[in-house]
Amino acid sequence: KEGIEKPEPGIFLRAVKKAGVKKGEFLYVGDNYLADINGARRAGVIPVWLTRRTEHAQFSFKDAAKNDGVARIKALKELVPLMKKEGWI
């Protein structure tokens, strides 16, 4: 346990440090827009929103998030093709 919770940037920055990469090289996939996507953005890491249907995590920000520039996937199997398309790998 790190003693910091999402969406605080510190939790993301600790993960970046542990991964041994730069912030701009770190990709964070999350299904909770407030905690995962906003937190990752505030920390300066690349967010990917997993917009799958879940009972509690996704929350609906369809209107507010339409033009936010965040990459979206509906299933994890879409992640590698997205990373190739964006030039991340």
Side-chain angles (χ1 to χ4, degrees):
K1 193 154 188 174
E2 295 293 326
I4 306 172
E5 294 184 12
K6 298 179 292 183
E8 291 300 318
I11 192 70
F12 298 93
L13 297 175
R14 284 189 187 179
V16 168
K17 184 176 180 180
K18 286 183 178 188
V21 298
K22 297 175 185 170
K23 290 190 292 185
E25 300 170 334
F26 191 91
L27 183 84
Y28 187 85
V29 178
D31 62 359
N32 181 309
Y33 195 88
L34 292 175
D36 299 329
I37 304 310
N38 283 343
R41 289 174 95 177
R42 288 177 49 213
V45 303
I46 302 166
V48 175
W49 190 14
L50 179 59
T51 60
R52 64 183 174 190
R53 286 246 180 236
T54 59
E55 186 175 336
H56 300 291
Q58 179 183 351
F59 300 105
S60 179
F61 288 89
K62 291 176 186 162
D63 292 329
K66 276 185 183 173
N67 298 312
D68 64 358
V70 173
R72 291 168 174 71
I73 57 174
K74 293 181 181 177
L76 289 175
K77 67 182 179 182
E78 298 174 15
L79 184 58
V80 171
L82 171 70
M83 292 172 70
K84 288 179 179 177
K85 177 184 162 210
E86 294 294 331
W88 297 333
I89 57 171

